[in-house]
Amino acid sequence: MTDFARERMTQLLAEIRAADIAYHVHDNPIIGDSQYDALFAELKALEAEHPEWVEPSSPTQRVGAKPVGGFQEVRHQVPMLSLDNVFSVEEFRAFVQRVQERLGSVKQLQWTAEPKLDGLALSIRYVRGQLIQAATRGDGETGEDVTANVRTIASVPLRLAGYAWPEHLEVRGEVIMKRVHFDQMNADLAQRGEKTFVNPRNAAAGSLRQLDPALVATRPLSFYAYGVGALSAPLGESHDAVMQALKACGIPVNPGRIVGDAAAMEAAYVDLLHQRAELPYEIDGLVVKVNALSHQDTLGFVQRAPRFATAWKFPAQEARTRLLAVEFQVGRTGAITPVARLEPVFVGGVTVSNATLHNFDEIARLDCRPGDAVIVRRAGDVIPQLVRVLTELRQTELPRIERPRCCPVCQSPVEQAEGEAVLRCSGGLVCRAQRLEHFKHFVSRRAMDIEGLGEKLLASLIDAEVITTPADLYRLKAAQLQALDRMGPKSAANVIDAIEASRDTTLARFIYALGIRDVGEATAAALATHFGSLEAMSTAETDALLAVPDVGPVVASHVSSFFASAQNRAVIEALRTLGVRWPDPPQHVVDALPLSGQTWVLTGTLETMTRDAAGDRLRELGAKVSGAVSAKTSCVVAGPGAGSKLDKAVSLGITVWDEGQLIQLLEAL
Ligand code: 9MJ
């Protein structure tokens, strides 16, 4: 019996370790979460029966006791270097030239290019394959012993795989927190009323420096290796070979590639910069290294940094500036959004002078006041955010921002629905701001698609009272447009043509264009397919609306109250009389469509069609197309540059297709 138990424990250890490596090192899970949990639970139960057989490197032994007396100092046997930085292509070329001059005799120099992870540097020491110690960089000579905390990081092996490792092996790399994990953790912290972290790097650093390993174990940290420290035997002759050897030991490595020359490195920089926002973790540049270790040795070091490598930094995503004022913008549905006006600052590659503050609760949470020094963040193409206020720099008492009581545009009273953070203007279409936003939405590309009717022109038409409802657009005459400032006959005729062309539309677009609250494109498409006509939809009872996939009680009530308004019905009637029309949707019953009930997500770049076009085709086939991956997602189509959504899909075990598979499906249906 005990022999059997011991054998089973060995088998479980092997299976769990293999699953860990497949998941963390190869990004290619071999078993599902519940199967993994079952193996883990079985091992734990057997270990409880036979504590004498518990291996210190068992995956059940990740969480240990608190280090007594805080973190001890660790002297690094081989100093932990930092990287020199370059900030421009000229500086980068100068670096390459310096290296080439120093290695004068070498003809075909090989380089590696890898993302620069933005986390916390760590050195992990393995002796005879067992994790013995982990230390932070500190000042490069002496760091802190964070072994107990690092043992809790699921992707750090407690025992190396295989047997091809040197007796002493020091692995160096970065501890990071992936974006999805960061968002999730911050949401959990906020829900518990605890302090949230400003960015993933602070979250990783703050977590690793917690004294209680049990708490660290709850923080979703990851580790990627990018180098080695002290070694009792070489792992290879090049940086790339060393990384492959680490991977074979079951250590997750920073993904790099070999590049031939400066031009290829410059292309790698641009590629990575484009992928940046989609990657599952934050990076702040491209690291290039001379590949051959013999060349690295020849080049040596200057002060604390190697001559054989450099970090070509991306434009910073965070910058300090000053908050000048907070203004309130009124959206299409009356939502009042506070916007921070900032002293212009160069961040994320552009000059930023506005940042979103989301809602009034956010103002209260940040406690931002005009005059404050603040940190703004612009990541990828997303709207800049105000992430932190440097309250410690406030020298005099600054005035708090008052919650608006009336709409800043039309002075109607402000409302706040129970349980909602959003403040709303109660003025409806009386409010000029809501009217303008309503028109902007109506003419937008995914709605009635009227080109040439920009915000400025719409505002002039509204102010001149030429248009008060969307139906007025179809009564516009070129002469009226020309009468407005600086509108030539040709431009006026183009606008009229665009309006004319928009009369032929689809029911889904028309429903979307109406701007019913919470009815986005996907819901509009679902309503169109389900009801087949505007009449059926506009007279539907709540129960009938609730039968539409994607429609819940809130949306159903918005739809009902929209059509209950005589004014709305009159506008629709006028639009139809003025010639707005659409073909009858396909006479399918919803459930009969091939992809009914499925939710698809498109991410990354598609090469033979746009994501919009692919989304339209999928919707026509009955699928819902969503922007976010969840357990309910049926399939994710990932093109080049796919990042966090792909990562989430993989972690949830959701089917992932490439563009070719999607095209095959679309052709087959
Ligand atoms: C980061 N942070 O991703 C190095 N790093 O190499 C990479 N850092 C490094 N390499 C030598 N990819 C010293 C630091």
Side-chain angles (χ1 to χ4, degrees), residues 202 288 313 516 620 668:
N202 287 11
V288 297
K313 296 292 279 281
I516 304 168
E620 279 167 27

Side-chain angles (χ1 to χ4, degrees), residues 285-575:
L286 178 81
V287 178
V288 297
K289 295 175 179 171
V290 172
N291 196 23
L293 299 188
S294 59
H295 294 156
Q296 292 192 358
D297 288 343
T298 310
L299 289 160
F301 307 90
V302 261
Q303 282 137 13
R304 294 266 159 93
R307 280 205 195 91
F308 56 79
T310 197
W312 187 355
K313 296 292 279 281
F314 290 149
Q317 292 190 310
E318 288 188 4
R320 182 176 146 182
T321 186
R322 195 160 292 284
L323 177 66
L324 301 176
V326 172
E327 287 172 11
F328 294 93
Q329 275 179 354
V330 185
R332 175 167 61 86
T333 57
I336 297 179
T337 311
V339 179
R341 304 287 177 216
L342 306 166
E343 214 163 69
V345 61
F346 193 72
V347 56
V350 297
T351 301
V352 165
S353 42
N354 301 308
T356 179
L357 283 162
H358 303 290
N359 54 47
F360 208 88
D361 291 355
E362 180 79 351
I363 295 182
R365 188 182 71 76
L366 290 164
D367 185 24
C368 57
R369 307 182 191 188
D372 269 331
V374 295
I375 304 291
V376 274
R377 176 177 175 79
R378 182 184 179 271
D381 289 330
V382 303
I383 304 166
Q385 317 248 342
L386 201 163
V387 289
R388 197 153 58 93
V389 177
L390 303 173
T391 35
E392 60 275 24
L393 299 184
R394 212 178 262 164
Q395 294 191 338
T396 55
E397 189 60 18
L398 296 170
R400 272 180 203 281
I401 292 160
E402 295 295 332
R403 186 178 286 261
R405 292 183 193 289
C406 56
C407 170
V409 176
C410 71
Q411 318 308 323
S412 301
V414 161
E415 295 171 338
Q416 184 168 22
E418 180 91 19
E420 266 193 39
V422 191
L423 301 180
R424 280 180 203 280
C425 158
S426 60
L429 291 184
V430 168
C431 176
R432 178 185 180 275
Q434 288 194 48
R435 232 172 28 233
L436 177 60
E437 293 303 319
H438 195 68
F439 272 107
K440 275 165 61 184
H441 173 77
F442 186 82
V443 306
S444 65
R445 198 169 54 83
R446 311 287 306 162
M448 298 305 283
D449 191 20
I450 307 179
E451 227 179 295
L453 266 179
E455 176 162 356
K456 259 194 166 146
L457 182 53
L458 285 173
S460 312
L461 290 166
I462 292 171
D463 290 344
E465 294 183 13
V466 178
I467 56 173
T468 43
T469 81
D472 296 328
L473 291 172
Y474 295 92
R475 300 187 181 106
L476 265 179
K477 300 277 177 290
Q480 286 172 297
L481 288 173
Q482 275 176 258
L484 287 169
D485 295 8
R486 275 188 273 149
M487 185 106 200
K490 184 92 184 90
S491 323
N494 284 345
V495 173
I496 299 293
D497 285 350
I499 295 173
E500 176 64 28
S502 77
R503 283 193 165 97
D504 277 307
T505 185
T506 65
L507 178 55
R509 275 178 178 272
F510 186 76
I511 294 171
Y512 175 60
L514 291 175
I516 304 168
R517 230 171 100 188
D518 291 338
V519 175
E521 253 187 291
T523 311
L527 287 163
T529 321
H530 185 87
F531 289 107
S533 77
L534 193 66
E535 288 64 34
M537 174 191 164
S538 61
T539 52
E541 302 284 338
T542 304
D543 281 352
L545 288 167
L546 288 174
V548 182
D550 200 31
V551 171
V554 176
V555 174
S557 93
H558 291 328
V559 173
S560 296
S561 54
F562 182 88
F563 289 108
S565 148
Q567 195 186 342
N568 289 339
R569 288 201 308 270
V571 171
I572 292 171
E573 192 52 43
L575 284 165

Side-chain angles (χ1 to χ4, degrees), residues 621-644:
L621 292 166
K624 183 181 160 204
V625 180
S626 164
V629 176
S630 77
K632 292 193 184 132
T633 307
S634 319
C635 181
V636 172
V637 180
S644 57

Side-chain angles (χ1 to χ4, degrees), residues 179 271-283 317 379-381 602-605 611 627 637-648:
R179 283 191 238 266
D271 278 355
L272 193 61
L273 188 56
H274 282 125
Q275 286 170 25
R276 184 184 196 184
E278 291 266 331
L279 289 178
Y281 38 64
E282 302 225 321
I283 61 171
Q317 292 190 310
D381 289 330
L602 302 164
T603 181
T605 317
R611 282 213 298 250
V637 180
S644 57
K645 288 179 197 170
L646 175 58
D647 206 49
K648 189 160 177 198

